[in-house]
Amino acid sequence: MKYNLLGNTGLKVSELCLGTMTFGGKGWAEAIGSLAQPAVDALVKRSVEAGINFIDTANVYSEGLSEEMTGQAIRNLGLQRDDLIVATKVRGKMGEGPNDSGLTRKHIMQQAEASLRRLGTDYIDLYQIHSYDPLTPLEETLRALDDLVRSGKVRYIGASNMAAWQLMKALAYSTYNHKEKFVSLQAYYTIAGRDLERELGPLLLDQKLGLMVWSPLAGGLLSGKYTREQHQEEGRRGRFDFPPVDKDRAFTIVDKLRPMAEAKGATVAQLALAWLLQQPVVSSVIIGANKPEQLEDNLKAVDISFSAEELQQLDEVSKLAPEYPGWMLDFTGGDRKAN
């Protein structure tokens, strides 16, 4: 297991991060997974044994139950809290009242305290906004997050699921008003869905933000068990067909991955994860599991290597179609390249 700096911080996070959306199975999250506490304990134990020090959850996962089970697993296993980096999120609907969602000061402060109680800890390492809130002024959100850091209840703040202009606006506000800045973005990115590379990827590299990748196997579509002929009837995709993926394009990529995997004695899923670990913008890839064997398979991705020729082949089969202004910037930028 390798450890990468999280953005422009000195914090080292494991290149694989344990995702907890399969914990609990309450509400809408039941379609993702419904693991009970003993199974959760086993996954956390094996992850830590493999070198993972990074765990990601959210208040909306199983209506708070995922956070509770994550915290309980840490205690059940006798793990040292300070050895772990625990990340959670705020924004989603956590009640029926008009102020039970969003990124207002009221909701953020309430949910930070609730997450601390559920996790059974006195601080959150990385507190992330789960998405953008178009109703709340950005400065209200950032000031509330800054107050949480200054109080000692939160160590770092991060963002998730934002457009590049929204993220850059937030970074600029924090810079010029001397508030805590986002250190990372959690975003969807796979070899079958490389949209992040258009605007967000260059922004992250330029501003030195870390990237945590969610759904790196495209909701299981890149697990290797799906084919063109059968990809809707079983597994997670049959219950919850998300995130949106161009399936025909994805299976063209799988067709390229499958023989490579066989030649390496590996799986399609391992190669899809390993490809992400090769991308310079990626800090950590979030893996989740319903079964121990799924976790074991994913953990082996850190041992996969590619030749330059293999990486070129994968880039060719998965690269994005040219889009404005990207193609124009490439066209006009030829005279301003460093020697």
Side-chain angles (χ1 to χ4, degrees), residues 109-318:
M109 293 302 187
Q110 286 177 338
Q111 287 305 307
E113 295 291 350
S115 288
L116 288 168
R117 287 194 299 271
R118 286 189 290 261
L119 287 164
T121 185
D122 55 4
Y123 69 96
I124 296 165
D125 292 287
L126 179 64
Y127 200 41
Q128 306 157 99
I129 62 170
H130 215 150
S131 187
Y132 190 72
D133 177 2
L135 294 181
T136 303
L138 194 57
E139 55 267 29
E140 177 180 344
T141 298
L142 292 168
R143 285 173 179 167
L145 293 171
D146 182 77
D147 286 345
L148 285 172
V149 173
R150 293 178 186 278
S151 74
K153 295 178 180 179
V154 168
R155 298 292 190 256
Y156 302 92
I157 60 172
S160 182
N161 302 317
M162 296 179 77
W165 71 266
Q166 295 166 341
L167 182 55
M168 192 63 238
K169 182 179 178 180
L171 294 173
Y173 176 84
S174 294
T175 297
Y176 293 114
N177 291 279
H178 308 289
K179 301 299 180 185
E180 198 71 17
K181 295 172 67 173
F182 291 134
V183 303
S184 61
L185 177 72
Q186 187 172 148
Y188 173 65
Y189 185 33
T190 77
I191 192 171
R194 296 173 59 178
D195 304 286
L196 175 135
E197 295 175 7
R198 295 196 189 280
E199 298 285 346
L200 283 166
L203 186 157
L204 297 176
L205 291 172
D206 179 73
Q207 296 296 307
K208 297 181 174 60
L209 266 69
L211 174 63
M212 300 164 62
V213 176
W214 64 261
S215 201
L217 298 180
L221 200 65
L222 301 178
S223 64
K225 66 182 179 182
Y226 294 101
T227 65
R228 292 179 190 275
E229 293 72 31
Q230 186 174 1
H231 56 80
Q232 289 284 4
E233 291 78 10
E234 59 182 40
R236 174 179 162 181
R237 274 282 172 179
R239 300 187 303 272
F240 189 54
D241 195 18
F242 185 86
V245 181
D246 181 336
K247 293 185 175 64
D248 186 61
R249 184 170 179 273
F251 287 121
T252 298
I253 295 168
V254 170
D255 290 342
K256 180 65 71 173
L257 286 170
R258 202 178 298 279
M260 277 190 192
E262 291 174 358
K264 294 176 183 292
T267 65
V268 169
Q270 288 166 14
L271 264 64
L273 294 172
W275 180 87
L276 284 168
L277 295 176
Q278 293 286 324
Q279 307 311 307
V281 73
V282 173
S283 304
S284 190
V285 175
I286 301 171
I287 58 172
N290 274 300
K291 300 175 183 178
E293 53 266 33
Q294 292 173 331
L295 178 63
E296 290 294 340
D297 184 84
N298 288 181
L299 289 171
K300 293 175 183 176
V302 301
D303 298 320
I304 300 293
S305 60
F306 296 101
S307 67
E309 182 182 357
E310 287 172 331
L311 286 173
Q312 183 177 2
Q313 290 174 8
L314 293 177
D315 183 63
E316 285 296 320
V317 77
S318 66

